[in-house]
Structure formats: structure tokens, C-alpha cells
Amino acid sequence: MAEYQPGVCNIGANQRRARRLSAIASFAVAVGLALAVAVGAVPDLSLWATIPFIFGGYVGAFQDYFRFCVAFGALARYDLSGSGGERGSVDASEAVRADRRKAAKILLFAAAATVVTSGIGYVAVTAL
């Protein structure tokens, strides 16, 4: 049975799977758009459109990896129903703070990874 752990784990297997699939879809769109720029099918400025998809991909991937939903953390909720646990609200102020810190860290990691990936991708695509 899965249990909610403040700042550590607030989603179960079903929620993690949804985030993993979202990450795969987001990364696929970003790669497809970058390839379209590389072959000249769309203007180079279209590379800017990959940034939200890359960021979304990383947010989903990090949520899956860390077993923690950013939105649930911000809203003081959890859902472990897909792993034999329960879903509910977080009441303790210390737990809410821990969850919000974890949510902020995940967003920061995703932003940093997006900057690095976008830079590498830009160099790779424009070098072709």
C-alpha cells in the first residue's frame, strides 16, 4: 500500500503513467518540429515553438521520476489511488510547505534542462 509522504511522494502508478505518456508526447512534438526546421519545411523561427513542448516534456518526466505532481503539490492534494493508496488533501502546513518546495524544485529542474536542451538542439539543427 502506497502512502503519501510530504515533499517526497504524492502520486501513484496511474498518475505517474499519465505523466510519462505526456512527457513522451511533448518530446515527440518538439523533435518533429525541430526536424521540420532542419529539412526546411518550416522557417527557422519555428524552433521557438519547441520550447514549451520541451519544458512540458521535462515537467512530465521529472514528475514521473520523482513520483510527485507539481499541480497537486501546489494545491495541497495527493492521489495514490493507482498504487493501492488513497487520494485526498494535505492539511498540515509543514507538509504543504514541503510539497510546494518540491514542486518548485521540479519546475526549476525542468527549466534548466529546457535551456540546456534548447541550446544544444539549436546548435544541432542550425548546423545541418
Side-chain angles (χ1 to χ4, degrees), residues 23-66:
I24 291 168
S26 291
F27 286 136
V29 170
V31 168
L33 194 52
L35 289 174
V37 169
V39 299
V42 295
D44 287 354
L45 271 173
S46 299
L47 276 178
W48 285 101
T50 63
I51 293 172
F53 294 104
I54 295 169
F55 179 72
Y58 278 120
V59 170
F62 288 147
Q63 287 180 115
D64 174 35
Y65 179 79
F66 289 114

Side-chain angles (χ1 to χ4, degrees), residues 57-91:
Y58 278 120
V59 170
F62 288 147
Q63 287 180 115
D64 174 35
Y65 179 79
F66 289 114
R67 303 172 306 160
F68 196 89
C69 173
V70 168
F72 286 172
L75 297 171
R77 302 199 46 76
Y78 61 93
D79 184 354
L80 299 160
S81 59
S83 297
E86 56 187 35
R87 68 177 69 167
S89 296
V90 179
D91 296 325

Side-chain angles (χ1 to χ4, degrees), residues 97-114:
R97 276 194 300 278
D99 283 355
R100 290 184 177 156
R101 275 193 303 273
K102 181 69 165 209
K105 284 180 185 178
I106 289 173
L107 292 176
L108 183 62
F109 292 160
T114 298

Side-chain angles (χ1 to χ4, degrees), residues 14-28 57 60-61 64:
N14 290 346
Q15 293 289 333
R16 288 181 65 201
R17 186 176 309 106
R19 279 139 186 89
R20 184 171 38 252
L21 293 174
S22 170
I24 291 168
S26 291
F27 286 136
D64 174 35

Side-chain angles (χ1 to χ4, degrees), residues 47 50-51 54 111-127:
L47 276 178
T50 63
I51 293 172
I54 295 169
T114 298
V115 168
V116 171
T117 302
S118 297
I120 293 169
Y122 176 78
V123 170
V125 167
T126 56

